[in-house]
Structures are given as structure tokens and as C-alpha cells.
Amino acid sequence: MPTADQKLDCALDLMRRLPPQYTERNLSRLVDLVPEICEDLLSSIDQPLKVVRDETEGKDFLVCDYNRDGDSHRSPYSNTYFPPMEDGALPSDKIRELEVLANDAFDKYREMYYEGGISSVYLWELDTDSGFAGVILVKKSVGAGTGNEISGCWDSINVVEVQEKANGRSAHYKLTTTTMLWLETKSEESGSLNLGGTMTRQVAADHELTDATFGHIKNIGIMVEDLENKMRAHLNDIYFGKTKDIVNGLRSFASLEEEQQRKKLHAQLIDNLARSNAQ
């Protein structure tokens, strides 16, 4: 009889191999199959980001477990919950000031790198007096739900933990980034293709702290930018590069006669080179 840990490992291994755009549906089915590991599953699996409207500010924001209290989510713009709730958890004035500046900074980062989409930043206090934590969310969708032949989505979840040193001149940062990417095409010319996956990476580093406010935003921004760039390059090589190699190996644009002629010419060239080297 498998243990709870073995069931959880198998469930996580399965979820890593399923399309990320169907995470919520597949997770619900897994919970129905093994309800005894429901809490561990929900806390271990990142789900695609959802969008909620801040009616007060007239802006959309991203929601996840980090800005949720009950069935409501806190907006980074108005600092209120939607749907409204009276006793929702709120950050301290100091953390809220840093959160507002971080949202402005990462909004510019999103526009530069993603040329659209939505970003949201949420910060909260840690149990220690010299640290805080936060999450930087970015979502960019293309053609989803519009009936276009090509649709896709990029979800990026960057969780950072900050611990300031005793001297106040530096801080330790631990960043965990999860990226969910999927691409789907449906057309008569190219057929149907569904490509997607999830990747998680973690880095930690110490950085100098020149300013208690802008210094943190600068250091976190550098780490997020560097790790996301590396993950983008890795995803491009694995998902798109490898898929392209496989498709090219399965399909040839040249006719059989042209392919045979090319192989024959290739063999002749090798033979001529071998003879030249032997002389």
C-alpha cells in the first residue's frame, strides 16, 4: 500500500507532465482520486494566474494564494479586497509604501520585456523584525478565448524572501521563480499543436543595500530579470528548439529523388576528400 508521501510524489510527477493551461481541471480530478493529500497538493502546485478587476481604480490585477484572504483577493492599487471584506489582512505602512514603488517598477519591467500583459506585486512581513517577503506576478496572453488559430500564455511567479543583515548595509535574497508556458495552434494548414510546460528555478545571493527602500527594489529587480532571462533561453532551447529538430527529422520538404541525389553527392564528396588525404 503506497504511503501519503509516495502518492504525493506520483501526483506531482504527473502534474509536471500535463498541459499547464488545464492545471485547475487536472488538479481537481487528482483531489477527487486521492483526497487524503488534498492540502499538500494545493500548496505544492502553482496554478495559472487569474485576473480580477479593481472596480475602485478601474484596473485589472493578478490573483494568487499570496494576496488571498478567504474568498477575496487584495488589489495592489487600492489596497482593498474584491469581493469586499472588512477584516482582510493588510501590510504595514512601511511595507505598503515599498509595495507601491515595486508595482510601479515592475510595471515598467513588464512593458519592456513583455510589451503588454499584466503584472502585480504583493509584499508582506515576516516573523523576523529585519525581513519581508513578496511575490512578483506577470501574465501575458495571446489569442486565448478569441477563436484565433494561435493562442498561448506565459505565467511567471517570482517569490522572494529578504533578510537584512545586522549592519544594515546588505541583505540576503532568496528568489524562487516558476514559469508556466503553453502554446496551441489549430488550423487547416498546420494542423493541431499543443506545446506547454512548467519550470521552477531558485537562486540566492547577498547584495549591498545603499537605500532601505529603492535598494531592495533594485536588487530584487536585477535577480528577477537575470533568472527570467535564463529561463526564457532554456525554454526556447528545450521546448521550441527540440520540437523543431524532431519535426524536421520527421518531415522532409524535398522529394525522394532529390533526397537520394543529395545523399549520393554527399558520399562522393566524402570519398574525394578521403582520396585527397591519402595522397
Side-chain angles (χ1 to χ4, degrees):
M1 189 71 179
T3 63
D5 289 340
Q6 290 174 330
K7 292 179 181 179
L8 180 62
D9 289 340
C10 291
L12 294 176
D13 190 53
L14 176 62
M15 288 298 298
R16 280 192 291 267
R17 287 163 169 77
L18 295 174
Q21 65 266 41
Y22 305 127
T23 297
E24 187 173 0
R25 183 186 68 187
N26 294 328
L27 184 58
S28 176
R29 292 174 176 176
L30 270 177
V31 170
D32 291 339
L33 286 173
V34 279
E36 61 271 22
I37 60 172
C38 173
E39 291 186 6
D40 292 329
L41 273 177
L42 295 175
S43 63
S44 302
I45 296 176
D46 291 307
Q47 300 188 44
L49 301 172
K50 294 183 178 180
V51 181
V52 173
R53 185 75 171 176
D54 185 334
E55 300 296 343
T56 305
E57 298 293 330
K59 297 180 179 179
D60 293 332
F61 64 96
L62 299 174
V63 301
C64 64
D65 285 341
Y66 296 103
N67 70 319
R68 180 173 64 86
D69 194 339
D71 294 327
S72 299
H73 293 86
R74 183 172 65 88
S75 165
Y77 304 114
S78 61
N79 200 31
T80 56
Y81 280 85
F82 296 89
M85 64 182 306
E86 296 180 356
D87 55 348
L90 298 175
S92 65
D93 292 341
K94 179 181 178 181
I95 293 298
R96 174 58 184 164
E97 179 183 2
L98 183 61
E99 183 181 80
V100 171
L101 294 173
N103 270 282
D104 183 61
F106 279 98
D107 186 62
K108 293 180 174 63
Y109 165 82
R110 170 199 56 77
E111 189 61 37
M112 291 176 60
Y113 273 93
Y114 295 90
E115 299 181 354
I118 304 174
S119 65
S120 298
V121 180
Y122 303 99
L123 303 179
W124 60 90
E125 293 89 351
L126 294 175
D127 294 335
T128 60
D129 296 332
S130 59
F132 65 92
V135 61
I136 300 100
L137 310 174
V138 181
K139 184 181 187 70
K140 174 68 179 290
S141 299
V142 177
T146 62
N148 290 350
E149 293 181 351
I150 300 177
S151 60
C153 184
W154 170 287
D155 287 313
S156 180
I157 304 172
N158 302 274
V159 181
V160 61
E161 182 178 324
V162 181
Q163 291 288 351
E164 295 182 2
K165 301 292 185 179
N167 57 18
R169 299 178 181 177
S170 63
H172 179 75
Y173 300 85
K174 183 171 72 173
L175 174 66
T176 303
T177 297
T178 298
T179 297
M180 289 171 279
L181 171 67
W182 64 268
L183 175 67
E184 189 173 4
T185 64
K186 291 181 180 180
S187 67
E188 295 181 359
E189 293 81 5
S190 62
S192 178
L193 172 67
N194 192 335
L195 183 65
T198 302
M199 178 186 295
T200 300
R201 293 290 184 270
Q202 186 178 87
V203 294
D206 292 337
H207 290 288
E208 292 184 359
L209 195 60
T210 56
D211 182 89
T213 300
F214 293 102
H216 284 308
I217 296 176
K218 174 187 174 183
N219 294 335
I220 294 172
I222 290 173
M223 294 182 67
V224 170
E225 180 182 26
D226 181 62
L227 188 54
E228 281 201 348
N229 282 338
K230 290 179 179 177
M231 294 177 72
R232 266 191 290 266
H234 194 56
L235 286 167
N236 184 64
D237 292 338
I238 291 179
Y239 292 136
F240 298 102
K242 191 64 176 178
T243 301
K244 183 179 179 181
D245 291 341
I246 293 173
V247 172
N248 288 340
L250 295 173
R251 180 182 180 185
S252 175
F253 292 97
S255 65
L256 181 59
E257 293 181 357
E258 291 175 338
E259 189 67 22
Q260 290 176 344
Q261 183 66 25
R262 188 189 64 82
K263 291 181 179 180
K264 183 178 179 180
L265 179 60
H266 184 261
Q268 290 176 351
L269 288 174
I270 293 178
D271 186 55
N272 290 337
L273 286 173
R275 290 178 181 179
S276 298
N277 293 331
Q279 293 178 354

